[in-house]
Amino acid sequence: MEIFNFIFRAPVITVEEEKAQKYVGKRDIDRALVAYRSIQPVTPHVLNTIGQLCAERKGDYEYALQCHKQALKMQEKVSVFFFFQLYNFVCSTVR
């Protein structure tokens, strides 16, 4: 059950992400982007958010595409890792 809880847990919003979201709410996209770029560790969610802001609010489609591609690569790596973790978990419980 430990891996199930890890996979399906609610996302955690960091203080930095809350700060960035407040800037978006105030339509201060430049400060929002600075705040999102300072979030560590960088996650696919953060990269996709940066990409979305760059495309929709700044018109920087090239940089947005770079962010989305990087997020996709990260998600693919995580998906493979979790697949094997889940497979090992299921195999260990069936025995």
Side-chain angles (χ1 to χ4, degrees):
M1 291 311 280
E2 185 176 313
I3 196 157
F4 179 84
N5 292 333
F6 179 77
I7 293 172
F8 295 104
R9 71 177 183 223
V12 177
I13 296 177
T14 64
V15 172
E16 293 86 3
E17 190 169 357
E18 282 183 25
K19 183 176 162 183
Q21 288 174 348
K22 286 180 184 177
Y23 287 131
V24 171
K26 295 177 182 178
R27 292 183 169 33
D28 191 347
I29 303 308
D30 291 328
R31 282 193 177 163
L33 288 170
V34 168
Y36 275 114
R37 288 178 181 132
S38 72
I39 295 174
Q40 295 295 323
V42 177
T43 64
H45 170 74
V46 169
L47 288 169
N48 281 323
T49 302
I50 292 170
Q52 183 179 1
L53 288 172
C54 286
E56 293 177 359
R57 305 285 178 90
K58 304 285 283 179
D60 189 348
Y61 300 106
E62 188 175 324
Y63 186 71
L65 184 59
Q66 288 176 3
C67 290
H68 291 306
K69 283 181 177 180
Q70 188 177 354
L72 181 59
K73 285 180 185 178
M74 290 175 76
Q75 288 172 320
E76 288 171 343
K77 288 178 184 177
V78 168
S79 294
V80 168
F81 172 77
F82 280 121
F83 170 77
F84 284 113
Q85 290 294 318
L86 186 59
Y87 176 80
N88 288 334
F89 174 75
V90 169
C91 289
S92 69
T93 59
V94 171
R95 294 180 192 170

